[in-house]
Amino acid sequence: MVAYPFSAVVGLDDLKLALVLNAVSPRVGGVLVRGEKGTAKSTIVRALAAQLPAVAVVPGCRFACDPAAPDPECPDGPHDPAAEGVRRPAALVELPVGASEDRLAGSLDVERALTEGVKAFEPGLLAAAHRGVLYVDEVNLLHDHLVDLLLDAAALGTCYVERESVSVRHAARFLLVGTMNPEEGELRPQLLDRFGLTVEVRASREPGERAEVVRRRLAFDADPRGFAARWAEEESALAERIAAARARLADVRLPDARLRQIAEVCAGFEVDGLRADLVTANAAIAHAAWRGRDAVTVEDVRAAARLSLPHRRRRDPFDAPGLDEALLDELLDRTSGDDDPDGGPRDDPPGGGPNGDRGDPGRPQDAGPDQAGRGDSATAGSPKPDPEKPEAGEPDAEAGSPGTTAQEQVAGVAAPYRVPLLAAPGVGAGAAGRRSRSRSTHGRGTGSRRPRNGPVRDLHIPATVLAAAPHQHDRGRTGPGLVLKPDDLREVVREGREGNLVLFVVDASGSMAARRRMTTVKTAVLSLLLDAYQRRDKIGLITFRGTEATVALPPTSSVEAGAARLRSLPTGGRTPLAAGLARAAEVLRVEKLRDPARRPLLVLVTDGRATTKANDVDRAADLLKGTATVVVDCESGPVRLGLAVRLATRLRARLLPIEALSQLGHPRKAS
């Protein structure tokens, strides 16, 4: 299969540079590519793998040991240092979203254990990716424990396997590239921090550039080999330059002045921990090697910081990664003069370095607002919002706001807080998460059972051996292996946590529109949204006011979108409670068809008032029978009608006064 040429990719200069820096120095720590669908994220990753220098490996070694320096602890070793190696292209290994921990890290070779009676290790994808590229498409949809595992291996350069009586250590140094579409859900900030560099990519809005992208793609699809041949010269030059930069890397100096500058920049952007400093230093050294320099300059530090800091500045899970480049320039200017005494002039000469070729990934570009890698800026040290005041662009609830009628208001939002766990009853079998109990393929083992249908996916070895052991004499066993029958097989029963579909139904009518009251309601829902984010749920948002209920956000994994819709939610008008319940029932019905394994949890935020007949509300509530529901009672004041209590009884729901959410949880640091 012919890969699309790396040099033929139009634009995406920041992404090209980030990938090349990791190809030059694996210590940079990988690249996370964030962007909308259809922006050539997968194409450019596969194109880079074809440009990596070929590697020499020990013949027959499943762990791709280098014959010049074989791993002394290689499970396939010891290797003869005098043995001649064989050369092969650098591996490109793709990790599917549905992979198991065994597939990623490796596990006991069950077939040999049961048939030959020997303990043998079957390597996983981390071993296959050693000295190559490990590519994870849609990394934000990968189970968190798998992301932790592969990021640990990428950081240490070693994979440790301790399970099922197997204790193995093997080298696992690879270029880690993950791609994701933020619309499908974000990675947790703790996991974002583990990626060395991040790049935000967007399709160009310039018609000429878009036309060139389509023109080249059509030419490639029509004749892949001919198209690749036309770009062979540029591809060869790129591969040679990467190899030269790798050879030069060990000789590049990081002057103390530049190291202090890196520390100043990271401190100025208030990033947590010291990983940002280490990644920026390694990226700056790789950038200097890529540019053919023997010492790191200010421009190398700037290029590294632009790629290593945006995703580490998130102070809140709902913040989008971004970097204020004006602040970056200010911090750099504060610690350097016009010239760099350690490495020559601060700015590179025109032409972008030693090889100013077309498509040079290292060439600095003037990026416009639509170019990749220029995330939304977020100035460090900006003032915190006052919970008692409306947010910017959100007037006081008593006053109207632009784009709203005289009966509509937009209330502000205070700092979110921790909320108690709201879970669906019983045990489900949905997607892995952190909310409700479920039967899981990744949870803790709670027992064993006979396989139900199809092949055994998760063999419980001790239970299988115990089931087969009493019958070995009758089956005429003579050798070291067990004589097994299909009835002996047992699989592990695991229990973990699942993510749910949390559907918020929020009363946005005039009865909720008092400024302080609606601020309290919005803050409570935002706190619940943050809880849903951390528990890996899908969420949806329905609001009802005036004469109808509106699906403000269809069910999605992008909790950030829900938070944005909530902040700008206007209130006012009548209270069509029955319409809100009926719309919720319809959304849940459709979602059940799309994702039958994911259990719903309905969170109804209301004071129970309705401008429709009580019978209409009761009929709509009956549509939600059997749905796990929580009613958040927003009624306040000395005189209460208890309408939300009556509604919760009708829905057989858990009732929580809105004040209880903050009292049962714990205060959360303001964002």
Side-chain angles (χ1 to χ4, degrees):
M1 180 179 178
V2 180
Y4 190 91
F6 187 88
S7 304
V9 175
V10 178
L12 304 183
D13 298 289
D14 282 348
L15 177 53
K16 290 179 180 178
L17 178 59
L19 291 171
V20 164
L21 293 184
N22 275 272
V24 171
S25 174
R27 291 185 178 180
V28 172
V31 184
L32 176 64
V33 188
R34 297 164 43 88
E36 56 196 16
K37 51 187 176 294
T39 49
K41 299 188 296 293
S42 301
T43 298
I44 197 169
V45 173
R46 294 187 176 98
L48 176 70
Q51 301 310 308
L52 296 180
V55 296
V57 300
V58 174
C61 178
R62 297 173 298 168
F63 301 88
C65 279
D66 185 352
D71 183 358
E73 298 184 27
C74 175
D76 282 356
H79 299 302
D80 182 3
E84 184 176 352
V86 295
R87 298 189 67 81
R88 64 165 174 77
L92 171 63
V93 176
E94 298 191 33
L95 175 63
V97 171
S100 65
E101 186 173 343
D102 288 349
R103 186 74 184 97
L104 178 61
S107 65
L108 178 70
D109 189 330
V110 176
E111 181 179 355
R112 293 190 62 190
L114 295 180
T115 58
E116 302 177 24
V118 299
K119 183 170 65 176
F121 177 69
E122 183 177 2
L125 295 178
L126 291 178
H130 180 47
R131 305 174 68 197
V133 179
L134 180 61
Y135 172 50
V136 188
D137 194 15
E138 306 293 355
V139 66
N140 52 325
L141 303 182
L142 197 66
H143 295 304
D144 282 354
H145 74 286
L146 292 182
V147 178
D148 279 326
L149 195 158
L150 71 90
L151 289 175
D152 279 338
L156 297 174
T158 304
C159 175
Y160 293 92
V161 182
E162 300 283 348
R163 55 187 307 171
E164 296 157 347
S165 75
V166 172
S167 179
V168 171
R169 184 218 67 88
H170 66 81
R173 293 184 295 276
F174 46 82
L175 193 169
L176 174 64
V177 183
T179 60
M180 60 174 283
N181 183 350
E183 295 177 358
E184 298 174 338
E186 279 282 4
L187 275 173
R188 291 186 291 122
Q190 296 89 337
L191 296 179
L192 273 176
D193 182 60
R194 301 292 297 278
F195 279 93
L197 309 179
T198 187
V199 178
E200 191 88 18
V201 296
R202 292 189 293 270
S204 172
R205 302 298 186 260
E206 202 280 310
E209 187 169 318
R210 295 173 71 97
E212 182 62 21
V213 172
V214 175
R215 186 179 297 112
R216 293 186 185 183
R217 186 71 213 191
L218 291 176
F220 175 77
D221 291 341
D223 182 10
R225 295 188 181 278
F227 185 85
R230 290 195 293 274
W231 288 88
E233 184 177 347
E234 286 86 347
E235 293 289 271
S236 177
L238 174 63
E240 291 175 2
R241 188 175 174 189
I242 291 175
R246 281 185 171 185
R248 188 183 302 114
L249 185 68
D251 297 325
V252 175
R253 294 183 297 106
L254 176 61
D256 195 58
R258 300 288 74 78
L259 181 57
R260 288 196 303 270
Q261 193 171 48
I262 290 171
E264 177 78 19
V265 168
C266 294
F269 277 105
E270 300 180 350
V271 297
D272 296 329
L274 292 173
R275 184 175 283 118
D277 304 63
L278 292 169
V279 170
T280 305
N282 281 318
I285 293 171
H287 191 268
W290 170 249
R291 292 298 182 85
R293 292 189 278 263
D294 58 3
V296 173
T297 67
V298 177
E299 185 60 28
D300 298 321
V301 174
R302 187 183 193 280
R306 285 187 57 250
L307 299 172
S308 64
L309 297 183
H311 58 304
R312 294 186 166 90
R313 289 212 57 254
R314 294 179 65 184
R315 316 309 301 175
D316 186 278
F318 297 143
D319 293 340
L323 188 71
D324 184 352
E325 296 204 26
L327 177 59
L328 174 60
D329 288 335
E330 178 185 337
L331 292 170
L332 290 172
D333 290 340
R334 186 185 305 170
T335 54
S336 64
D338 293 334
D339 292 328
D340 179 5
D342 297 304
R346 172 181 170 180
D347 295 321
D348 287 329
N355 295 320
D357 300 328
R358 172 181 54 180
D360 179 1
R363 183 183 305 164
Q365 303 286 336
D366 294 329
D370 293 321
Q371 187 165 338
R374 304 284 192 177
D376 298 334
S377 63
T379 305
S382 57
K384 307 291 184 184
D386 185 345
E388 295 301 324
K389 296 182 180 180
E391 293 186 351
E394 294 189 356
D396 195 320
E398 282 78 12
S401 65
T404 64
T405 67
Q407 290 77 32
E408 294 176 345
Q409 303 93 31
V410 177
V413 182
Y417 46 78
R418 296 191 185 278
V419 297
L421 173 62
L422 306 178
V427 180
R434 294 177 178 165
R435 184 171 296 278
S436 305
R437 295 173 56 203
S438 73
R439 299 297 182 196
S440 169
T441 58
H442 301 93
R444 61 186 179 87
T446 59
S448 63
R449 66 183 177 195
R450 294 178 183 272
R452 292 180 176 175
N453 294 304
V456 179
R457 299 294 184 187
D458 191 3
L459 185 67
H460 194 299
I461 295 177
T464 299
V465 172
L466 289 174
H471 309 290
Q472 295 305 296
H473 183 270
D474 295 338
R475 294 173 184 174
R477 173 190 171 189
T478 57
L482 287 173
V483 180
L484 290 177
K485 295 294 180 72
D487 288 343
D488 299 328
L489 299 180
R490 300 290 186 270
E491 61 184 8
V492 182
V493 176
R494 299 186 183 275
E495 183 174 305
R497 292 280 174 175
E498 67 177 0
N500 297 109
L501 167 60
V502 182
L503 182 61
F504 294 93
V505 182
V506 181
D507 184 349
S509 64
S511 67
M512 306 282 285
R515 176 175 176 270
R516 289 183 179 274
R517 187 176 181 190
M518 197 58 199
T519 294
T520 302
V521 170
K522 280 191 172 184
T523 303
V525 178
L526 184 65
S527 302
L528 290 166
L529 278 170
L530 183 56
D531 181 67
Y533 169 89
Q534 294 173 332
R535 297 187 187 279
R536 315 303 288 169
D537 295 314
K538 288 181 68 174
I539 63 109
L541 177 62
I542 294 175
T543 63
F544 57 92
R545 65 186 183 92
T547 60
E548 62 181 1
T550 303
V551 181
L553 183 71
T556 176
S557 296
S558 180
V559 181
E560 298 78 5
R565 301 287 174 87
L566 177 71
R567 292 180 188 276
S568 60
L569 174 67
T571 58
R574 298 166 66 84
T575 313
L577 176 57
L581 297 176
R583 180 57 64 91
E586 176 63 17
V587 169
L588 293 179
R589 183 189 68 80
V590 173
E591 244 346 84
K592 184 69 174 177
L593 298 176
R594 292 176 177 170
D595 191 357
R598 189 181 292 269
R599 294 188 294 164
L601 178 63
L602 181 69
V603 179
L604 176 60
V605 184
T606 181
D607 57 6
R609 298 173 185 266
T611 52
T612 52
K613 296 180 181 179
N615 289 341
D616 292 339
V617 174
D618 289 343
R619 283 196 294 270
D622 289 341
L623 298 175
L624 293 167
K625 280 186 176 179
T627 302
T629 305
V630 176
V631 175
V632 179
D633 184 2
C634 300
E635 193 173 25
S636 61
V639 179
R640 305 195 180 196
L641 303 178
L643 298 176
V645 177
R646 177 183 180 278
L647 180 60
T649 302
R650 182 80 183 188
L651 290 168
R652 297 182 180 178
R654 178 181 178 183
L655 180 69
L656 277 178
I658 194 167
E659 301 86 0
L661 287 177
S662 58
Q663 293 170 0
L664 293 175
H666 301 284
R668 187 184 300 276
K669 184 179 179 181
S671 58

